[in-house]
Amino acid sequence: MVHAYILIQTEVGKAAVVAAEIAKIAGVTTAEDVTGPYDVIVRAEADNVDLLGQLVVARIQNVEGITRTLTCPVVHI
């Protein structure tokens, strides 16, 4: 299982709506609107890196109101 944090910038005033919509997507374990340089932080999981990429590109990035994402896979060192 691969986990990642996805940092999301949204259009002004859209953070809460974007977080609520993303929270409904299978594979997303948490989606919260936050303050700072990013508007939403998501924790997601998938069986492998390829499926994680598909989740981000095909599902999460298609949510209306998102302007940019940054995916940070969790590593165990």
Side-chain angles (χ1 to χ4, degrees):
M1 184 72 63
V2 177
H3 294 105
Y5 288 96
I6 304 157
L7 310 177
I8 299 172
Q9 293 177 336
T10 69
E11 296 172 3
V12 174
K14 299 283 186 172
V17 173
V18 168
E21 192 66 28
I22 290 173
K24 299 175 190 175
I25 297 172
V28 171
T29 57
T30 307
E32 298 183 290
D33 44 320
V34 298
T35 60
Y38 294 94
D39 303 305
V40 177
I41 296 179
V42 173
R43 182 166 169 109
E45 62 185 18
D47 287 335
N48 58 53
V49 173
D50 291 335
L51 290 174
L52 178 65
Q54 290 174 16
L55 171 65
V56 173
V57 173
R59 304 287 312 278
I60 293 174
Q61 288 182 348
N62 283 328
V63 172
E64 188 174 333
I66 292 176
T67 58
R68 179 171 293 172
T69 65
L70 174 66
T71 303
C72 305
V74 174
V75 296
H76 302 282
I77 299 173

